Amino acid sequence: MSGFYDQGALIAVLTTQPLDRTLDYRAPEGGCMEGAFVEVPLGPRKVIGVVWGPGEGGYDLSKVRSVIRVLDVAPMRDEMQQFLRRAADYTLTPLPAMLRLATRSPGLGDPPGMRIVYRLGDSVPDRMTPAREKVLGVLREYGGLAFTLKELAESAGVTSSVVKGLVKQGAVIEQASPRDLPYPRLDPDLPGHDLTPDQAAGAETLRAAVNTARYGTTMLRGVTGSGKTEVYLEAVAACLAKGRQALVMLPEIALTAEFLTRVQARFGALPAEWHSGVTMTERRRCWRMVGEGGAQLVVGARSALFLPFRDLGLIVVDEEHDQSYKQEDGVLYNARDMAVLRASLCSAHVVLASATPSLETWANVQAGKYHRLDLSARFGVAVMPDMRAIDMRAEDLPGSKWISPTLRRAVAARIEKGEQALLFINRRGYAPITLCRACGFQIGCDHCDARMVEHRFQKRLVCHQCGETKPMPEKCPHCEAVDKLSPVGPGVERLAEEAAELFPEARIAVLSSDLYGSARALKAHIESIAAGEADLIIGTQLVAKGHNFPLLTLVGVIDADLGLQGSDLRAAERTFQLMRQVAGRAGRADKPGSAMLQTFQPEHPVIRAILAGDEERFWAAEAGERQAAGVPPYGRMAGIILSSPNVQEVFDVASDMARRDGPLRQINAQIYGPAPAPIARIRGRHRVRMLVKADKAAPLQGALAQWVAQFKLPNSVRLSIDIDPQSFY
Ligand code: ADP
Ligand code: ZN
């Protein structure tokens, strides 16, 4: 229960400082609410925190200091406090780290009022310099958005005097603007599209679910293009009509642009956005307005789940199977699962939308925990593409080429007819390996146990683990032979090169996430492709995620076997999902599409399941195997990763931990390892992994917490615990 604390009362404040407990203070003059955001003294500093409950006392009370002030933002709601607590318990994360996720808004403590902002003006400056060009470029790129001086100068990489110079010229407008305006009202009563009977039934089910104002989760399944978005927008409409807020999460920033356009068409205005591509000023506005009810709908990335919604009634997780919902550094949480937790605490409905749901979600449907809604057909006349394998063993292809004669003919035929084709390869860069033909040396990262990947467009080698880059060397770093370094294996850039040779007349577009400066540049490129300004698209995973290319009728998958090789427990599931998603790009409009999968193992059960499109069978078979192995979703797992600059030390610590496993044995959990992690070194730190497996019903987190508490780790050793790990690197 929320309480009020009178002036001088002893209160516990949770700060974002890396401490393992709350701190006691005295309530300030005028008192404060539980949940209030406050500024408190900590040593010589002032830090921000939340009034978490009554103080704990039990020490010299004369030393307790007073809260400095209560911030002018909506207090944290009870349900948000509970959510942070439960999420912290689930992910074994200290509460301060959870609070950091929930307070990722710049200037939280700033007073409201006016501020000076900068926008694009009408005049052209008398003299254009590269620095001025950069400033105007940034303003144009972000359309009508306003920037503060600091933000604008930093985004453009210029000094603030450049901006001021442009203001004098009228090319940039300087104006006072109230901070944090509410977002324009979305009107749920505007008409949507006429829905097909199937879609209308689905929309009605979701509307009814939202209108109960009780917690529930629905899996919304339908092939790409079946109208899942149309249907869940009706759930959003119902939610807004009830006066509650809605959150739509998308796995990729690049997808938001298209979605925003659809929201505007449906509700007459743009929603709030929350993701890494949003300016600091807008983030602050979004955070505040969500808390005050000045934002009805937020479209965001996984961290939007931690926004301080006043009355959240619906969470949509689009492409719910997508791996990017799992945060892989810092707090290791899965936004899909946390969405369900959050919704259960605030009586909201969750929609998990996907053409290829995760096995976890499917299993929850089977277990009766989630509802299920299927959209059977694609919208309009489009049908699922015809799928077939190209048996690479029978193709005549030299070693350094990847487009088989069969695929080449199919592409040529499409281009001739004025249709688009897509070649898919799930690898960024030019080539995954750079090998010295003289000594056999492979260029690796200096800080990681990983190969450097050549990115020819950027003329650099890049480590996909740590992001380190270096120029392509002239000679072998090992034997110094000149002109012997050569690329091995294909990446998207190399495939583009091969395609350009095969189809010299074709207009080729390369879509890979690392080739764009900004989400908006990417959006513009995607739109031009959709409008027909390319004949052949060469793309990575980026294209698998929900873009509409109406002219696209052929998808060629260069290496369908790529995902099957890993020892990852989800390898089959991921390959199945990815191949189905990519194939789903073909034939969305009125032209039937086809998908061709190049494979060396056409008889592999996963490849056969993909071709047959028999999802229920695939899921059932996959579920059977996981059940037999006692792995998620039928058993519980936690990854334990220890790292240190010192390899001996990290092994010693890990072995000690594995030996003293009493608390884990108590719940019948098993430890596997320690073993060197598949990537045994990242950023100079040696990595050791252990895997803990337990029964589905076992209280795993409690046992892990007890187990870990036994050890005092040396400062140089870092421990992270990954509940329900998705990746095992
Ligand atoms: P999904 O989310 O399942 O991939 P979408 O909702 O994006 O499907 O629908 C695919 C395309 O078909 C979109 O361009 C969408 O606007 C269009 N569409 C789907 N249903 C309808 C409808 N009932 N009326 C008009 N257009 C529709
Ligand atoms: Zn590296």
Side-chain angles (χ1 to χ4, degrees):
M1 262 315 285
S2 271
F4 184 83
Y5 300 95
D6 290 323
Q7 176 173 1
L10 199 61
I11 54 172
V13 172
L14 177 69
T15 69
T16 56
Q17 302 301 305
L19 305 165
D20 55 2
R21 62 202 155 84
T22 53
L23 299 170
D24 281 3
Y25 290 93
R26 298 234 177 247
E29 194 182 327
C32 59
M33 298 270 296
E34 183 158 324
F37 283 84
V38 291
E39 189 174 59
V40 294
L42 185 66
R45 291 179 302 150
K46 293 175 183 173
V47 302
I48 284 175
V50 174
V51 178
W52 207 247
E56 301 191 345
Y59 47 84
D60 179 3
L61 290 179
S62 67
K63 296 242 169 67
V64 179
R65 298 160 84 182
S66 225
V67 166
I68 300 170
R69 65 189 176 105
V70 177
L71 305 184
D72 183 34
V73 295
M76 182 180 283
R77 307 174 60 78
D78 247 12
E79 107 218 351
M80 185 71 179
Q81 273 197 37
Q82 271 189 58
F83 174 54
L84 295 183
R85 279 204 178 95
R86 298 268 298 267
D89 289 347
Y90 190 88
T91 57
L92 290 171
T93 304
L95 264 173
M98 283 328 290
L99 184 62
R100 271 199 292 284
L101 280 181
T103 51
R104 277 211 189 136
S105 162
L108 204 61
D110 295 355
M114 305 294 275
R115 67 196 167 118
I116 305 295
V117 296
Y118 296 80
R119 293 178 198 280
L120 200 58
D122 300 324
S123 311
V124 181
D126 54 6
R127 192 172 49 84
M128 197 50 102
T129 65
R132 288 181 165 184
E133 193 68 77
K134 279 191 210 147
V135 173
L136 297 178
V138 167
L139 288 173
R140 269 187 227 116
E141 190 177 320
Y142 287 95
L145 283 187
F147 286 74
T148 62
L149 184 59
K150 188 159 169 265
E151 270 174 13
L152 183 53
E154 272 172 14
S155 322
V158 302
T159 60
S160 47
S161 59
V162 177
V163 178
K164 291 286 191 178
L166 284 165
V167 170
K168 283 209 190 82
Q169 304 263 318
V172 171
I173 298 172
E174 180 183 75
Q175 58 190 189
S177 133
R179 286 178 186 276
D180 310 329
L181 286 177
Y183 290 84
R185 274 209 80 67
L186 306 185
D187 183 356
D189 296 329
L190 290 177
H193 284 130
D194 289 330
L195 300 181
T196 65
D198 210 25
Q199 292 171 344
E204 189 43 46
T205 308
L206 290 185
R207 266 197 299 268
V210 168
N211 283 332
T212 63
R214 279 204 303 271
Y215 161 72
T217 296
T218 302
M219 167 177 103
L220 173 59
R221 204 199 122 265
V223 296
T224 319
S226 57
K228 294 185 294 299
T229 312
E230 294 295 327
V231 169
Y232 75 64
L233 278 176
E234 295 315 303
V236 172
C239 180
L240 302 188
K242 272 188 98 69
R244 304 187 78 191
Q245 294 168 300
L247 166 63
V248 174
M249 292 201 282
L250 302 174
E252 174 93 36
I253 307 179
L255 289 175
T256 48
E258 184 180 326
F259 183 71
L260 294 179
T261 312
R262 289 177 72 169
V263 169
Q264 185 158 34
R266 176 66 183 79
F267 300 119
L270 286 170
E273 277 182 80
W274 180 270
H275 52 72
S276 58
V278 171
T279 67
M280 284 298 157
T281 315
E282 281 298 308
R283 278 171 88 94
R284 187 192 127 107
R285 174 188 183 202
C286 179
W287 196 93
R288 291 201 168 216
M289 285 305 124
V290 162
E292 289 170 22
Q296 296 158 281
L297 169 63
V298 177
V299 176
R302 57 182 180 230
S303 58
L305 205 51
F306 293 90
L307 286 170
F309 288 96
R310 204 172 68 160
D311 184 11
L312 184 58
L314 172 70
I315 306 177
V316 177
V317 185
D318 202 356
E319 312 281 351
E320 66 89 26
H321 63 279
D322 198 284
Q323 276 183 72
S324 66
Y325 284 119
K326 178 68 187 278
Q327 173 147 312
E328 295 286 5
D329 50 33
V331 180
L332 307 175
Y333 69 94
N334 188 321
R336 177 196 61 211
D337 302 342
M338 290 301 120
V340 170
L341 172 61
R342 173 134 206 204
S344 71
L345 295 170
C346 65
S347 305
H349 198 78
V350 181
V351 174
L352 303 177
S354 176
T356 52
S358 60
L359 190 67
E360 274 87 356
T361 295
W362 184 80
N364 278 326
V365 169
Q366 296 298 100
K369 288 189 201 156
Y370 295 173
H371 310 280
R372 169 173 184 160
L373 199 55
D374 287 87
L375 295 179
S376 50
R378 290 185 125 182
F379 175 69
V381 281
V383 286
M384 223 13 216
D386 158 54
M387 311 260 292
R388 48 173 291 211
I390 297 177
D391 185 346
M392 295 299 279
R393 294 168 303 192
E395 295 285 322
D396 183 17
L397 198 61
S400 58
K401 299 284 179 229
W402 290 275
I403 302 171
S404 66
T406 305
L407 184 55
R408 186 191 319 158
R409 283 191 295 274
V411 171
R414 298 291 168 160
I415 296 180
E416 214 158 279
K417 281 200 274 177
E419 297 171 10
Q420 281 177 336
L422 162 72
L423 297 181
F424 173 80
I425 182 155
N426 198 13
R427 259 199 199 135
R428 292 177 293 132
Y430 186 82
I433 302 175
T434 303
L435 176 81
C436 172
R437 298 251 176 237
C439 73
F441 181 76
Q442 298 182 1
I443 300 188
C445 175
D446 297 335
H447 316 288
C448 306
D449 182 21
R451 298 188 187 103
M452 297 288 270
V453 178
E454 181 184 354
H455 284 238
R456 201 160 275 196
F457 287 171
Q458 295 156 12
K459 300 198 177 57
R460 292 187 83 80
L461 290 162
V462 179
C463 171
H464 286 184
Q465 282 319 314
C466 72
E468 173 80 5
T469 77
K470 54 187 173 193
M472 190 72 189
E474 308 258 314
K475 50 189 182 184
C476 172
H478 186 68
C479 73
E480 313 217 318
V482 180
D483 285 340
K484 288 289 181 188
L485 290 175
S486 55
V488 179
V492 66
E493 296 175 8
R494 195 173 192 188
L495 192 64
E497 197 176 272
E498 182 180 343
E501 280 163 22
L502 290 178
F503 312 105
E505 310 285 294
R507 293 164 305 162
I508 296 180
V510 183
L511 272 177
S512 177
S513 57
D514 56 329
L515 297 177
Y516 297 90
S518 69
R520 270 161 226 266
L522 177 58
K523 177 193 172 208
H525 194 210
I526 287 173
E527 278 171 1
S528 74
I529 294 171
E533 285 175 30
D535 305 307
L536 182 56
I537 308 162
I538 314 275
T540 60
Q541 186 137 0
L542 184 65
V543 297
K545 297 184 180 178
H547 299 292
N548 287 332
F549 295 116
L551 302 173
L552 183 69
T553 55
L554 171 70
V555 170
V557 176
I558 295 302
D559 187 353
D561 305 334
L562 194 59
L564 292 175
Q565 295 148 5
S567 53
D568 188 334
L569 78 99
R570 294 186 180 80
E573 180 185 352
R574 290 213 174 116
T575 303
F576 183 82
Q577 288 163 341
L578 188 58
M579 293 301 116
R580 301 281 305 169
Q581 294 271 341
V582 175
R585 300 293 115 209
R588 289 178 59 107
D590 52 349
K591 299 192 180 75
S594 58
M596 299 175 127
L597 274 53
Q598 297 195 147
T599 171
F600 284 93
Q601 36 187 340
E603 64 294 322
H604 191 291
V606 175
I607 300 286
R608 281 179 30 196
I610 294 167
L611 295 176
D614 189 346
E615 287 171 58
E616 298 298 325
R617 214 155 77 212
F618 174 77
W619 277 340
E622 184 65 14
E625 289 194 8
R626 301 243 197 121
Q627 207 148 18
V631 296
Y634 303 98
R636 305 206 54 200
M637 259 182 171
I640 315 293
I641 304 109
L642 288 157
S643 71
S644 159
N646 181 330
V647 67
Q648 188 58 48
E649 177 183 58
V650 72
F651 266 100
D652 288 347
V653 170
S655 311
D656 185 36
M657 289 182 73
R659 246 190 328 271
R660 287 154 61 191
D661 63 347
L664 295 175
R665 249 183 295 136
Q666 291 245 306
I667 61 159
N668 278 324
Q670 290 132 8
I671 301 192
Y672 298 84
I679 299 175
R681 196 168 58 114
I682 295 183
R683 293 190 184 91
R685 300 182 70 86
H686 296 273
R687 306 171 74 245
V688 168
R689 284 192 75 105
M690 289 180 270
L691 190 65
V692 176
K693 268 172 75 176
D695 283 350
K696 180 126 181 111
L700 181 60
Q701 278 89 342
L704 285 169
Q706 271 185 31
W707 174 55
V708 170
Q710 303 178 97
F711 307 98
K712 172 96 185 74
L713 300 183
N715 283 336
S716 50
V717 173
R718 264 184 238 150
L719 164 71
S720 81
I721 300 181
D722 186 1
I723 304 288
D724 313 327
Q726 294 278 325
S727 61
F728 295 81
Y729 65 89

